[in-house]
Amino acid sequence: MMFASRAARIALVVVPLGAVPVVVLAAADTAPVARYDMRAGTVSGFGGMGGGMGAAMSMMMGGGGSNVQHELYLRLGSAQTPAGGKAKADHFVPPAAKLGKSVALVAPPKPEGDPEILPEKPKGRLLIFWGCGEHAPKGQPVVLDFAKIAAGQKPPALPGSAVLRDWGPTQDNSRSFSRWPADDHKFVKADSSLIGPQKVVSTYAPEMNFTLTKDFMAPITSRTATLPSGASRLSWTGIPGATAWLAFLTGGKQGPGGEAMGDVVMWTSSADKQFGGGLMDWITPDQAASLVKTGTLMAPTATSCVIPAEVVAASPDFRVGTLTAFGPQESFAYPPRPADPKIAWKPEWTARIRHRSTTSWMQAQGMSMSAAGMQDAEGEDEKKPACKPKKGLGGMLGGLGGMMGGGNKGC
């Protein structure tokens, strides 16, 4: 392979970039030939439970739960085409990862068109709240009445999504692209560890060697408690490495006669009414520090947030909440950035790993919900077949997915 002769010295001279973002290049710098992105998460609470009535009841009562799972996502993008025409990529991991000798990165299938879904007359409302506090301030919620909008009424100004999603390499920005998890039946376990030497070898990118020193973040322990005002206090125990916190809640109220879509409620702890986008993703430490200053994220020292009473009152049938601690990042490159800023940097490759820990809880009135029916995989290329809308809670959640651009996920 064309880069094989460099493998030995790559292993010797690669140095971590620390807090310097690997994707930021000066005017005279050149983009790396290849970029590698790793995302390591800890999932607890409702999202991490393996099932069982006891766990489900704990979540419904607002408990953070003790079930813990790990998640790991790998992405390799390159400006080169495969040598010999055959694409092959492997990430060799330390034994403590418990993934075998290596995992194979594979190119995702070409996206297919969405299945045809019969249009329905829009109905229901979306109520949007933001900020911690016992009561929602004046001007909240922002209300979207879908029937009125469909009839031609101008919708109100929506909260923003100024934080862009940063996936790193993708099919769209890479000549060659692959990722993991793949269809190999491998997955990280609750006791898997990432610490140790890593090597990425492929037929379309330089060989990458780097050593990780930070492991999966600790799980979050959280509780909710109802206050006399009707507000809900969310509290948690701080965890090492947290750089910022974000809480998010989705709730709802069924329509007349038990119709699936009534009112859907969305709330975020963001004080400057930022929703979605990169906030639902993986935030770097530099981003976190900036977003804490603007009130978009809670400070790393925060241990509580009150969900306004108006949010609770507007979603009497169900509420599903998440609390995320954004964590550290490790960045690497070969060759390292020159100390002299006058010398252009021409990296062959860059690599980074971002961390987060997320817990979730569920509260429902007179309804039963399964964990399997609520979990939402991160595989953004998955497509689900068309089906008839459901009534009840499942239908409400499916309708919410459609409103937020998530397709027919309630089917």
Side-chain angles (χ1 to χ4, degrees):
M1 196 162 61
M2 68 179 71
F3 291 95
S5 61
R6 298 176 179 170
R9 64 187 177 93
I10 288 176
L12 291 174
V13 303
V14 167
V15 296
L17 294 177
V20 179
V22 299
V23 295
V24 176
L25 301 173
D29 296 336
T30 60
V33 174
R35 294 179 297 151
Y36 198 54
D37 183 82
M38 302 177 64
R39 286 165 287 150
T42 301
V43 183
S44 60
F46 186 54
M49 71 183 186
M53 183 58 70
M57 290 303 296
S58 173
M59 294 304 101
M60 288 185 181
M61 297 304 292
S66 59
N67 295 274
V68 178
Q69 298 290 335
H70 284 150
E71 55 183 353
L72 180 66
Y73 303 97
L74 312 175
R75 287 172 167 253
L76 174 63
S78 174
Q80 297 178 334
T81 56
K86 185 176 181 180
K88 188 177 187 301
D90 293 278
H91 182 149
F92 292 86
V93 294
K98 300 187 176 181
L99 289 169
K101 185 178 179 181
S102 66
V103 295
L105 310 173
V106 301
K110 293 182 179 180
E112 300 176 357
D114 288 328
E116 182 180 356
I117 300 175
L118 296 178
E120 290 187 70
K121 183 179 179 180
K123 51 189 174 182
R125 303 187 307 168
L126 176 62
L127 283 61
I128 302 176
F129 297 85
W130 60 91
C132 301
E134 234 177 305
H135 291 284
K138 186 177 180 180
Q140 296 190 33
V142 172
V143 180
L144 276 72
D145 189 313
F146 296 105
K148 292 180 179 180
I149 294 174
Q153 185 179 96
K154 183 180 179 180
L158 292 176
S161 183
V163 183
L164 300 179
R165 300 190 76 176
D166 179 8
W167 286 99
T170 65
Q171 280 183 301
D172 294 333
N173 61 27
S174 308
R175 182 169 294 177
S176 298
F177 174 76
S178 59
R179 70 183 186 184
W180 185 88
D183 191 19
D184 57 3
H185 305 291
K186 289 185 177 182
F187 54 91
V188 287
K189 303 170 180 61
D191 58 350
S192 292
S193 173
L194 298 174
I195 294 177
Q198 318 281 323
K199 180 168 68 173
V200 182
V201 180
S202 75
T203 57
Y204 48 85
E207 181 174 309
M208 304 178 183
N209 289 271
F210 53 93
T211 299
L212 298 180
T213 62
K214 299 184 183 300
D215 213 343
F216 290 101
M217 295 180 71
I220 302 170
T221 300
S222 68
R223 299 292 301 178
T224 58
T226 302
L227 302 180
S229 62
S232 178
R233 178 181 295 278
L234 170 64
S235 57
W236 60 90
T237 303
I239 59 174
T243 58
W245 295 85
L246 175 72
F248 189 86
L249 182 143
T250 300
K253 179 174 68 174
Q254 290 191 4
E259 289 184 6
M261 284 307 300
D263 285 347
V264 172
V265 175
M266 294 179 65
W267 167 86
T268 176
S269 59
S270 169
D272 61 347
K273 60 179 180 182
Q274 291 295 320
F275 275 80
L279 289 178
M280 310 308 293
D281 203 44
W282 308 70
I283 300 294
T284 69
D286 286 344
Q287 283 180 301
S290 176
L291 294 172
V292 166
K293 290 181 180 179
T294 62
T296 302
L297 298 177
M298 293 179 283
T301 54
T303 56
S304 68
C305 171
V306 176
I307 302 169
E310 291 78 6
V311 174
V312 177
S315 51
D317 290 328
F318 80 96
R319 291 182 296 277
V320 178
T322 61
L323 175 67
T324 298
F326 299 105
Q329 172 177 322
E330 291 186 90
S331 301
F332 309 88
Y334 175 81
R337 185 188 291 273
D340 187 348
K342 296 180 180 179
I343 300 177
W345 184 33
K346 303 182 185 299
E348 289 187 6
W349 58 263
T350 59
R352 69 177 178 182
I353 178 169
R354 293 172 288 174
H355 294 263
R356 74 179 182 188
S357 183
T358 301
T359 192
S360 52
W361 69 95
M362 174 178 61
Q363 296 170 314
Q365 299 292 335
M367 298 183 183
S368 60
M369 294 186 279
S370 67
M374 286 294 300
Q375 294 195 41
D376 184 18
E378 187 160 339
E380 66 274 18
D381 292 315
E382 286 188 357
K383 302 293 181 182
K384 294 191 178 182
C387 57
K388 295 181 180 179
K390 293 180 180 178
K391 287 186 177 291
L393 180 62
M396 285 188 73
L397 296 176
L400 174 62
M403 291 189 304
M404 302 309 295
N408 208 24
K409 290 188 177 182
C411 298

